[in-house]
Amino acid sequence: MAGSLDRIKFAETLVESDPDEAHRIGCAVLDDEPDNALALFLIAYIYSKAELYGLAYAINKRIVQLAPHRDQAWCNLGMCLESMDRHAEARECFEQAAKRDPKNAAYPANI
């Protein structure tokens, strides 16, 4: 996992300047570890930035299954749903995020 973590951290530095390379690295990590939540998170973020919300939604949904304790995963899922005009489902996700991190002021603002 340490090698995977290093590769993901490097890929994160490329998201803005070279999202294709960041995506390639994330996919390579998933080839080795298909349930790597960090690699999935990276790829979902890239898809969201590219406004590919259906793909980002599907990946974020898997992240929530793998790491239901992660508030950011719930928030990202909610953001995808908002972008797809699925507001009631998005609200539920933001509520889940707020439950997991009640100190984060951004979550209640999304609800």
Side-chain angles (χ1 to χ4, degrees), residues 22-76:
H23 182 268
R24 188 196 65 71
I25 293 168
C27 287
V29 170
L30 290 174
D31 283 343
D32 297 333
E33 302 170 43
D35 290 331
N36 186 308
L38 291 175
L40 289 167
F41 190 88
L42 171 74
I43 291 170
Y45 179 75
I46 291 168
Y47 287 152
S48 288
K49 286 191 62 74
E51 299 181 5
L52 298 170
Y53 300 118
L55 285 168
Y57 164 80
I59 294 169
N60 279 308
K61 190 165 173 104
R62 179 64 179 140
I63 295 167
V64 164
Q65 292 171 341
L66 291 171
H69 61 283
R70 298 285 308 267
D71 58 293
Q72 189 62 47
W74 285 100
C75 183
N76 289 354

